């Protein structure tokens, strides 16, 4: 052992598994990459394909151009809709303008869209549990006419909501919420409306649930939790919240290793590390390497569940393959 490594304080890194990319994010990124291969650059992307700066910057380097509205896209270039989903008006506008478009909406978000439509067709009054302004919420509410879906963000909202007919209510949820927070809101709704119609299968996606469960397992053993992800990533922000509630004395959301403050680790012997569903694994390795510059690091995997989910790419991208 070198003198430098001998002088470094030991630090156990508890690595949450699963972490990082989910199947929906992986599919969305592949759709942009394959579209650039097939159609050449530039390919336009409406909204960030996923909420991660490193992913977005990498796709920009390949020839993706990110815009907020379809009106910013020329009609002679393909456009990709982000993994978060879009209101029905967006593909309708693309068809009207005779554009080539590829929908990278996560299939689990599309499932929520289908459920909302089903409830609407059945004459139900619909509430959506989610965060105002999040692209997924905008997309889900935009599946139905304006004002049809009521947004509920908190237990207080659930208690204040007054439907026209308490016996004819249904709920759906954003896919990237805190499992525990959402359970409290649903419980408040069920208490008031025992007949409320629920999703056939929980709307919070498998990846969100699995990553939160993994953080709970890590936070029970770690003094500090480091979550790699962007501040506009809902699932990443939720991981920080779950970590703080589950035993970690502190939890921090960081874009990458460069944002690590070693002061957070003063007196700490075990640090938890995870990554949000839109954060690439290279960021995790970069953080471990940075920690190894200052500490004698040992890495221990904390495995909770094995993920095997994958989603098919759109036929437009596979037909000629």
């Amino acid at each position: 052992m070198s003198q430098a490594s001998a002088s470094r304080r030991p630090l156990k890194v508890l690595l949450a598994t699963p972490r990082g990319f989910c199947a929906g994010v992986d599919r969305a990124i592949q759709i942009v990459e394959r579209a650039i291969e097939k159609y050449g650059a530039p390919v336009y992307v409406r909204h960030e394909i996923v909420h991660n700066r490193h992913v977005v910057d990498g796709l920009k380097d390949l020839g993706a151009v990110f815009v907020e509205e379809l009106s910013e896209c020329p009609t002679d270039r393909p456009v990709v809709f982000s993994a978060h989903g879009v209101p029905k008006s967006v593909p309708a506008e693309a068809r009207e303008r005779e554009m080539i478009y590829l929908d990278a909406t996560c299939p689990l978000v599309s499932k929520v869209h289908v459920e909302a439509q089903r409830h609407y067709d059945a004459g139900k009054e619909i509430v959506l549990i989610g965060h105002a302004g999040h692209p997924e919420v905008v997309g889900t509410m935009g599946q139905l006419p304006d004002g049809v879906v009521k947004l509920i963000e908190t237990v207080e909202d659930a208690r204040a909501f007054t439907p026209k007919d308490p016996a004819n209510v249904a709920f759906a949820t954003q896919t990237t919420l805190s499992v525990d927070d959402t359970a409290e809101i649903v419980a408040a709704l069920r208490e008031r409306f025992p007949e409320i119609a629920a999703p056939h299968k929980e709307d919070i996606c498998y990846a969100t649930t699995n990553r939160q469960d993994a953080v709970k397992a890590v936070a029970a053993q770690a003094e500090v939790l480091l979550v790699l992800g962007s501040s506009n990533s809902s699932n990443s922000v939720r991981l920080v919240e779950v970590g703080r509630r589950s035993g970690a004395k502190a939890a921090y959301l960081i874009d990458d290793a460069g944002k690590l403050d070693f002061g957070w680790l003063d007196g700490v012997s075990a640090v938890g590390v995870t990554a949000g569903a839109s954060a690439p694994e290279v960021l995790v390795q970069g953080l471990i390497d940075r920690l190894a510059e200052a500490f004698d690091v040992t890495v221990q995997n904390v495995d909770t569940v094995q993920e095997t989910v994958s989603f098919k790419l759109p036929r437009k991208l596979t037909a000629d393959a």
Side-chain angles (χ1 to χ4, degrees), residues 58-214:
L59 292 173
K60 280 181 182 174
D61 290 344
L62 293 178
V65 177
F66 290 86
V67 297
E68 284 305 307
E69 297 300 337
L70 206 59
S71 58
E72 300 171 62
C73 305
T75 55
D76 62 343
R77 297 305 305 159
V79 60
V80 179
F81 304 149
S82 82
H84 311 99
V86 295
K88 273 188 177 173
S89 58
V90 175
E93 182 188 341
R95 287 191 294 270
E96 191 178 321
R97 294 178 64 195
E98 299 182 348
M99 301 174 75
I100 296 171
Y101 69 88
L102 296 149
D103 190 351
T105 301
C106 173
L108 298 179
V109 174
S110 297
K111 164 188 164 290
V112 179
H113 293 178
V114 169
E115 282 174 348
Q117 185 69 54
R118 178 172 58 83
H119 289 314
Y120 178 68
D121 292 343
K124 299 279 187 189
E125 193 167 351
I126 304 162
V127 296
L128 175 66
I129 302 168
H131 298 297
H134 189 279
E136 184 185 325
V137 166
V138 172
T140 299
M141 295 180 79
Q143 299 306 301
L144 300 172
D146 285 351
V148 165
V149 182
K150 303 291 190 299
L151 183 65
I152 286 182
E153 298 189 79
T154 63
V155 170
E156 290 71 32
D157 288 348
R159 289 179 180 143
F161 169 63
T162 307
K164 294 169 192 155
D165 179 0
N168 196 37
V169 183
F171 78 87
T173 83
Q174 186 180 331
T175 63
T176 55
L177 300 177
S178 158
V179 174
D180 297 334
D181 286 350
T182 305
E184 287 180 24
I185 294 171
V186 170
L189 287 170
R190 287 192 197 280
E191 186 181 336
R192 296 188 61 217
F193 316 113
E195 297 175 52
I196 193 167
H200 284 318
K201 190 180 177 187
E202 188 177 51
D203 285 341
I204 295 177
C205 79
Y206 79 94
T208 296
T209 303
N210 290 348
R211 277 148 192 73
Q212 289 180 21
D213 286 346

